[in-house]
Amino acid sequence: QVQLVESGGGSVQAGGSLRLSCAASGSTYSSYCMGWFRQAPGKEREAVARIRPRGGTTDYASSVKGRFTISQDNVKNTLYLQMNSLMPEDTAMYYCAAGICSGVMAGIPKYWGQGTQVTVSS
């Protein structure tokens, strides 16, 4: 079992920055791919950024590439999403997720956090 707890969401004006954190626990956490997903009202959930275990490769949605950075601190067991140059269209509930890489990369990770709201005003 893996438990994921997000924090760091909030309200910000366009052009601002936020950093999301996801505290992970569980014996197999370090071997899993992890990612950030988001879902806005009336829209489908989408993968924002994903990272392979042990400092592996990352990938980003085209809409956030160059503005968002995913990283992880394996000592603190924490996943981060640094979000810069935020735009109103980034407004969504953001979820931390983890699981075997095939699942995460397919958009169906096994473990999910409870979500943290990000609201960007123009």
Side-chain angles (χ1 to χ4, degrees), residues 3-121:
Q3 291 79 42
L4 304 170
V5 179
E6 302 100 332
S7 61
S11 297
V12 65
Q13 288 193 326
S17 298
L18 284 173
R19 188 177 78 158
L20 306 183
S21 299
C22 173
S25 60
S27 60
T28 56
Y29 151 77
S30 62
S31 66
Y32 282 158
C33 276
M34 298 193 73
W36 290 96
F37 293 75
R38 69 185 180 186
Q39 187 166 22
K43 294 188 177 181
E44 291 188 357
R45 184 180 66 204
E46 64 171 338
V48 176
R50 294 169 290 199
I51 187 168
R52 292 186 178 274
R54 304 180 185 90
T57 57
T58 58
D59 70 80
Y60 297 89
S62 58
S63 59
V64 307
K65 197 171 294 184
R67 299 188 297 122
F68 291 11
T69 303
I70 188 172
S71 62
Q72 60 188 149
D73 183 330
N74 291 324
V75 174
K76 296 181 178 179
N77 289 342
T78 303
L79 181 74
Y80 301 101
L81 184 69
Q82 178 66 44
M83 304 185 295
N84 298 328
S85 301
L86 283 161
M87 302 186 293
E89 47 264 48
D90 294 318
T91 295
M93 184 71 78
Y94 283 71
Y95 298 91
C96 173
I100 60 173
C101 289
S102 57
V104 174
M105 296 307 168
I108 48 172
K110 182 175 182 179
Y111 302 105
W112 293 89
Q114 82 287 353
T116 186
Q117 178 68 37
V118 171
T119 302
V120 185
S121 58

